[in-house]
């Protein structure tokens, strides 16, 4: 893979991020996700097949609010990593809210 391939992929990912940030999840969808998580959380807590850590660059996500406190701050330099367990933990923190949307500043 050359650098242009990576740049094009990042541009496409950024376009998806912008579109997702422009469209909040409807309340019923957020509540349905919460109900699904209540039933399935134990199955995905840590031993799920395919458990892995994903590297990401927090500063590339600066436009996403609210940003989960469990993740590296978007002001951080360089890359960070997040595991499935950390994502599950962050989700549990926001599960009590009635909606979780993405907004642009």
């Amino acid at each position: 893979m050359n650098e242009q391939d990576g740049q094009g992929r990042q541009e496409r990912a950024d376009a998806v991020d912008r579109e997702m940030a422009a469209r909040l999840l409807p309340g019923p969808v957020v509540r349905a996700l919460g109900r699904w998580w209540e039933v399935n959380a134990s199955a995905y807590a840590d031993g799920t097949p395919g458990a892995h850590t994903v590297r990401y660059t927090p500063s590339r996500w600066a436009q996403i609010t609210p940003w989960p406190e469990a993740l590296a701050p978007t002001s951080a330099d360089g890359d960070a990593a997040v595991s499935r367990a950390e994502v599950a933990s962050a989700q549990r923190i926001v599960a009590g809210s009635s909606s979780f949307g993405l907004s642009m500043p």
Side-chain angles (χ1 to χ4, degrees), residues 10-101:
Q10 185 60 55
E11 288 171 358
R12 290 189 303 275
D14 289 346
V16 170
D17 291 344
R18 284 190 299 276
E19 186 64 27
M20 290 176 64
R23 299 175 187 234
L24 298 178
L25 290 174
V29 171
V30 173
R31 288 188 291 280
L33 287 169
R35 287 190 300 272
W36 180 91
W37 187 253
E38 287 173 10
V39 172
N40 295 283
S42 62
Y44 293 93
D46 55 15
T48 304
H52 60 281
T53 299
V54 175
R55 295 200 64 71
Y56 66 103
T57 305
S59 63
R60 287 186 143 305
W61 296 85
Q63 78 276 13
I64 305 300
T65 59
W67 185 252
E69 291 181 11
L71 300 178
T74 57
S75 60
D77 289 332
D79 289 343
V82 64
S83 70
R84 183 181 298 235
E86 290 166 323
V87 170
S89 175
Q91 190 282 331
R92 284 191 289 275
I93 291 169
V94 299
S97 64
S98 61
S99 67
F100 182 75

